[in-house]
Amino acid sequence: MSLFRKIFGNTGNKNKSDKDAEKSPYAPEVVLPIDEMFTHNFKKNGGKFIYCENLAEVSDNFINILEENDWFESVVTCHEPKLFHLLDENKLTYKNNPQNPKFYFSTCENLIASEGSILFSSNQLKQYRPNDLPTDMVVFATTSQFVNSKSDGLRHIKNKYDKEYPTNITTIKYFEKAKEEDFLQYGTAHKNLYLLLLEDL
């Protein structure tokens, strides 16, 4: 997915006002590819995005997150056995629903490109609401989990689980505290969220 490289490494010579002046009011609206749209909206919402080309990079970047926040040998909440190996490798305690965990570690159902949010269900969050979770979160996802809209995500969940439909379906969208009063964020807790995104397409 070299598009991510372009996003983070793009240095044009023209400034923004020059580009805006060149746009024709009759030109068709540019529709971003789904990965670029998600990245733009997710970062705009304050999320921390880490692109990984393989599982070795996922492991290395997970260690970098632990170093950045001094989370080594700390207590973590995680309910998904497929993630336990990363916690065991770094001597993190996660069993028996620990009290006052440093962060929440999980996967997700989908990545919603149109709003830069992350869709979860009871498969990741169990019975907990976002406001009940620690402020700090690390989420592991793959590029095949991109969907355009929330309704696409719900359709994907319905098709994926068929008979064992999960509960507690929710999105987390705000990844930094609002600088000013924002009625859209009223009643929602912001999350300091790192997204480890693995290329799997």
Side-chain angles (χ1 to χ4, degrees):
M1 237 196 223
S2 60
L3 296 173
F4 290 111
R5 305 284 187 217
K6 291 177 185 175
I7 292 170
F8 300 122
N10 188 13
T11 53
N13 294 327
K14 295 183 178 182
N15 62 37
K16 189 174 186 302
S17 59
D18 290 344
K19 288 180 183 175
D20 289 344
E22 290 176 8
K23 284 184 185 174
S24 165
Y26 305 107
E29 186 178 338
V30 177
V31 179
L32 290 174
I34 194 168
D35 51 358
E36 287 187 44
M37 187 192 311
F38 174 82
T39 305
H40 172 76
N41 290 329
F42 178 75
K43 291 181 77 179
K44 187 174 74 174
N45 293 342
K48 298 176 180 73
F49 178 92
I50 305 166
Y51 174 70
C52 307
E53 291 187 346
N54 52 53
L55 288 170
E57 284 190 13
V58 171
S59 183
D60 290 344
N61 285 312
F62 184 68
I63 291 170
N64 292 339
I65 293 170
L66 298 179
E67 285 179 352
E68 181 181 325
N69 294 282
D70 193 21
W71 286 342
F72 281 111
E73 298 184 21
S74 61
V75 177
V76 180
T77 298
C78 179
H79 303 294
E80 298 172 79
K82 62 184 171 184
L83 299 176
F84 290 169
H85 71 281
L86 279 171
L87 303 176
D88 291 330
E89 287 169 9
N90 294 289
K91 299 180 181 177
L92 296 164
T93 304
Y94 56 90
K95 294 177 181 173
N96 303 323
N97 283 334
Q99 297 294 312
N100 303 315
K102 288 285 185 182
F103 66 96
Y104 197 92
F105 187 38
S106 77
T107 61
C108 65
E109 294 293 346
N110 288 108
L111 305 170
I112 312 297
S114 61
E115 58 181 33
S117 64
I118 303 180
L119 182 67
F120 297 93
S121 77
S122 54
N123 290 320
Q124 296 86 37
L125 305 184
K126 301 302 178 190
Q127 75 278 14
Y128 300 104
R129 297 173 302 159
N131 288 12
D132 299 330
L133 302 175
T135 300
D136 296 304
M137 294 183 72
V138 179
V139 175
F140 172 68
T142 61
T143 52
S144 60
Q145 291 178 278
F146 284 124
V147 293
N148 272 307
S149 66
K150 202 179 291 184
S151 59
D152 292 334
L154 294 173
R155 194 176 305 112
H156 182 267
I157 289 174
K158 185 176 181 182
N159 294 336
K160 180 179 178 183
Y161 296 106
D162 193 23
K163 294 175 183 175
E164 294 183 16
Y165 199 72
T167 58
N168 197 22
I169 297 169
T170 187
T171 57
I172 295 179
K173 180 177 179 180
Y174 301 107
F175 309 113
E176 62 184 358
K177 195 169 184 178
K179 296 176 180 64
E180 299 172 4
E181 287 295 320
D182 183 352
F183 77 94
L184 293 174
Q185 291 194 38
Y186 183 76
T188 62
H190 75 283
K191 299 297 177 187
N192 176 38
L193 192 143
Y194 294 85
L195 176 64
L196 290 166
L197 183 69
L198 173 65
E199 169 66 68
D200 70 339
L201 291 175

